[in-house]
Amino acid sequence: MPALTFDNAFVRDLPGDAESGPRRREVVGALHSAVEPTPVAQPRLVAHSPEVAAMLGLDEAWIASPAFAEVFAGNALLPGMQASAANYGGHQFGHWAGQLGDGRAISLGEAIGVDGRRLELQLKGAGPTPYSRGADGRAVMRSSIREFLCSEAMHHLGIPTTRALSLVATGEHVVRDMFYDGRPQAEPGAIVCRVAPSFVRFGSFELPSSRGDTALLARLVDFTIARDFPHLADVEADVTARRSRWFAEVCERTTVLVAHWMRVGFVHGVLNTDNLSILGLTIDYGPYGWIDAFDPDWTPNTTDRERRRYRFGQQPPIAYWNLSRLAQALAPLFDDVAPLQAGLAQFVATYEAQDARDTAAKLGLAECRDDDLERMQALRALLHAGEVDMTLFFRALGEIEPSDATPAHFVDACYDDARRASIEAPLADWLEAYAARRAEDPLDVSARRTLMRATNPRYVLRNWLAQEAIDRAAQGDESGIHDLLDVMRHPYDDQPGRERFAARRPEWARNRAGCSMLSCSS
Ligand code: AMP
Ligand code: MG
């Protein structure tokens, strides 16, 4: 058995529900409910992250033993674990949805990692909780593979995210109507153990605020600052100043997060306020997707297909909208809302600065001038019109000196011959202007290449790659999951022999469910 130490501050220091167990209910005046995972028939470990295991000090022999799968399927608790579901609300697709809570996630407790940092362990798909509403509390294998792989891929891209320790098959079936078209099917179930310093969301603050429970709201804010932002507790003695600094930092972290997503072409898919982490982590991997052919209007989420609220290009303003909802929820704690307004204004300034840095880095320039922002905008319009792969294009751009580049250099990044031909002349002009700009830039050839390689990944968890691993796993071959986990460990490096993982989307995946179309049914 592993020597894990737990310090379950959230359930110890914040008010809990008087009732325990999974009976569905409104929970008022409390931020969590005691509820144990529902055991599953036949837990079997499918994959784990060695890096996360090492952070927890878990040894590989124990991970390979049946006992590990039992614990991380929710069939057994280790000493010190305290199972609970968190209570929170949220704005879903622009509308206040009231109490939501962990409907299928159960926290096992806050482990203390080998470096002393807090790592809460949470099972997603562990069975019903008071917050399951009409649903079963379970998760299917296809979505669990996607969450497991993408959490780790995101981390290795250097983007803040919840992590994933393990992916366990339950040996049970779960019934899902994948496209809400009245054709439910039994699918294999799975459980992912997610890991993060905190799973508190914007919606965690919105719920007590919406109920007028300012005392509970204040307790949660001050708890969050003390536990997760200790550097603020040290610098500000005054409680209002401290809360103001904290909100500003939440704005800052959220901005940085969204700028990263825009840099690498990640579309979260469901940016409801219950899916925004107070730590600025990517959280709740559902119908997310990666941009293949550049298109700011693309969303992978079929549930959002009509209005496309959460489309790629809309993510920065949506993050701002969500921060505004958080500010509104926090307002009862402030006599004067100026600090909240200042935090929001900071979002805009920080985003612009970050976007300028990323623009320069993506183009391999030492600094970003105003005309470079226009240059990037013009390039994006060309990539969109020409149906050009975002990841492949930027990577290829860094591999050649602009003075040598012609549109022919990018043929492999294009999906359609006619669309490619339609941008050939303007792309040639763009490259010529870019070469002139490059001539004014101080970076030498190798510094430029290093900067661009570190900014424009070679490997991202393309939708079709994840789907291929899912299809193979359904046929009994889980090696695709392990291969992807391994490739995505070094997304910025060329990995000879692994070119197919960097290839553009194959034609079969263009309109295939799971590749370009995903629903919230998971
Ligand atoms: P999501 O869109 O995945 O963030 O989920 C929104 C809300 O629905 C959260 O409160 C989830 O816990 C809940 N939920 C989603 N799927 C299930 C499920 N299968 N069983 C219970 N609750 C669920
Ligand atoms: Mg959620």
Side-chain angles (χ1 to χ4, degrees):
M1 208 174 2
L4 273 180
T5 331
F6 288 89
D7 176 52
N8 304 323
F10 193 83
V11 294
R12 184 187 61 225
D13 298 344
L14 292 169
D17 186 2
E19 183 178 334
S20 60
R23 187 184 70 81
R24 318 293 207 265
R25 56 193 183 267
E26 283 286 303
V27 175
V28 176
L31 293 167
H32 51 87
S33 303
V35 59
E36 299 217 340
T38 303
V40 299
Q42 267 190 323
R44 181 178 61 83
L45 181 65
V46 174
H48 76 284
S49 160
E51 290 89 354
V52 178
M55 282 158 58
L56 289 161
L58 302 179
D59 75 69
E60 293 289 331
W62 184 63
I63 292 170
S65 74
F68 179 88
E70 293 283 335
V71 171
F72 292 99
N75 285 10
L77 294 177
L78 294 173
M81 284 181 169
Q82 260 175 298
S84 70
N87 190 12
Y88 53 81
H91 278 84
Q92 296 187 312
F93 297 95
H95 305 284
W96 175 242
Q99 176 180 301
L100 295 169
D102 287 335
R104 56 171 165 173
I106 294 184
S107 168
L108 298 176
E110 301 165 36
I112 303 303
V114 289
D115 66 356
R117 279 191 299 173
R118 188 174 303 270
L119 296 167
E120 184 169 344
L121 308 179
Q122 193 194 62
L123 300 184
K124 184 166 176 179
T129 78
Y131 310 102
S132 298
R133 295 174 288 159
D136 58 8
R138 293 300 186 189
V140 293
M141 181 57 88
R142 62 182 153 86
S143 318
S144 305
I145 292 174
R146 285 168 46 82
E147 171 138 17
F148 174 79
L149 287 176
C150 204
S151 319
E152 292 304 286
M154 199 62 99
H155 166 75
H156 293 297
L157 280 164
I159 303 179
T161 178
T162 60
R163 304 292 301 273
L165 169 65
S166 55
L167 169 65
V168 174
T170 60
E172 295 181 356
H173 281 90
V174 177
V175 175
R176 287 289 181 271
D177 186 355
M178 190 153 106
F179 288 107
Y180 306 112
D181 62 357
R183 290 186 299 167
Q185 286 190 350
E187 299 186 48
I191 297 176
V192 170
C193 178
R194 310 198 286 193
V195 179
S198 165
F199 285 94
V200 170
R201 301 128 191 281
F202 289 9
S204 309
F205 303 90
E206 286 181 285
L207 184 63
S209 182
S210 74
R211 289 169 168 169
D213 194 346
T214 309
L216 188 59
L217 173 67
R219 275 189 74 173
L220 179 61
V221 169
D222 295 335
F223 170 87
T224 300
I225 295 173
R227 190 188 66 170
D228 302 319
F229 296 76
H231 51 286
L232 298 182
D234 295 343
V235 292
E236 293 286 2
D238 173 69
V239 67
T240 302
R242 193 157 63 222
R243 290 169 178 171
S244 305
R245 289 268 302 250
W246 168 71
F247 179 70
E249 187 171 331
V250 173
C251 289
E252 170 95 23
R253 288 184 186 219
T254 306
T255 317
V256 168
L257 177 67
V258 177
H260 274 303
W261 292 346
M262 301 309 289
R263 169 175 63 85
V264 297
F266 176 76
V267 191
H268 181 286
V270 201
L271 286 178
N272 293 331
T273 55
D274 56 303
N275 292 343
L276 268 99
S277 145
I278 204 67
L279 289 179
L281 310 174
T282 313
I283 191 173
D284 275 1
Y285 291 88
Y288 68 82
W290 293 82
I291 292 288
D292 292 310
F294 183 80
D295 181 358
D297 294 329
W298 185 71
T299 176
N301 185 356
T302 51
T303 317
D304 191 25
R305 189 183 255 170
E306 295 300 313
R307 289 179 53 211
R308 295 182 184 258
R309 179 180 172 86
Y310 298 139
R311 61 190 184 270
F312 179 55
Q314 193 68 8
Q315 295 185 120
I318 284 291
Y320 181 87
W321 190 89
N322 286 340
L323 284 165
S324 306
R325 300 287 72 72
L326 178 62
Q328 198 172 41
L330 298 173
L333 302 182
F334 290 81
D335 291 332
D336 174 3
V337 295
L340 296 171
Q341 282 163 347
L344 291 172
Q346 190 60 32
F347 174 95
V348 179
T350 308
Y351 189 80
E352 280 173 7
Q354 188 66 42
D355 184 45
R357 264 199 298 278
D358 288 343
T359 296
K362 283 188 85 68
L363 295 176
L365 301 168
E367 54 152 1
C368 182
R369 306 189 317 212
D370 285 348
D371 61 321
D372 294 323
L373 292 173
E374 288 159 27
R375 193 182 317 285
M376 182 59 108
Q377 224 167 14
L379 177 60
R380 289 199 181 114
L382 288 175
L383 298 183
H384 189 192
E387 206 177 52
V388 185
D389 189 276
M390 175 181 174
T391 306
L392 287 171
F393 180 88
F394 281 103
R395 190 74 182 189
L397 190 65
E399 300 301 302
I400 190 166
E401 274 299 305
S403 49
D404 298 331
T406 65
H409 179 64
F410 304 97
V411 169
D412 285 347
C414 297
Y415 285 97
D416 180 276
D417 286 343
R419 297 272 295 267
R420 175 172 59 80
S422 76
I423 61 156
E424 202 168 316
L427 181 59
D429 292 345
W430 187 91
L431 288 167
E432 198 182 321
Y434 175 54
R437 169 70 178 95
R438 162 74 182 132
E440 294 164 14
D441 191 81
L443 292 182
D444 67 28
V445 173
S446 106
R448 171 180 181 269
R449 180 169 291 191
T450 304
L451 174 64
M452 291 181 82
R453 282 187 178 169
T455 309
N456 300 316
R458 173 117 164 93
Y459 301 95
V460 294
L461 188 67
R462 291 173 182 273
N463 317 311
W464 71 271
L465 286 172
Q467 188 58 40
E468 193 182 58
I470 290 166
D471 291 343
R472 276 168 61 188
Q475 303 300 316
D477 172 12
E478 288 163 351
S479 62
I481 300 170
H482 304 118
D483 291 348
L484 279 179
L485 181 65
D486 203 46
V487 171
M488 299 304 155
R489 271 197 184 105
H490 302 286
Y492 297 102
D493 295 349
D494 289 330
Q495 300 178 44
R498 286 172 154 178
E499 289 74 15
R500 74 175 296 273
F501 295 99
R504 70 181 171 213
R505 179 195 61 214
E507 230 8 70
W508 62 260
R510 185 181 278 265
N511 291 312
R512 165 88 207 269
C515 296
S516 58
M517 296 186 289
L518 290 137
S519 75
C520 288
S521 170
S522 58

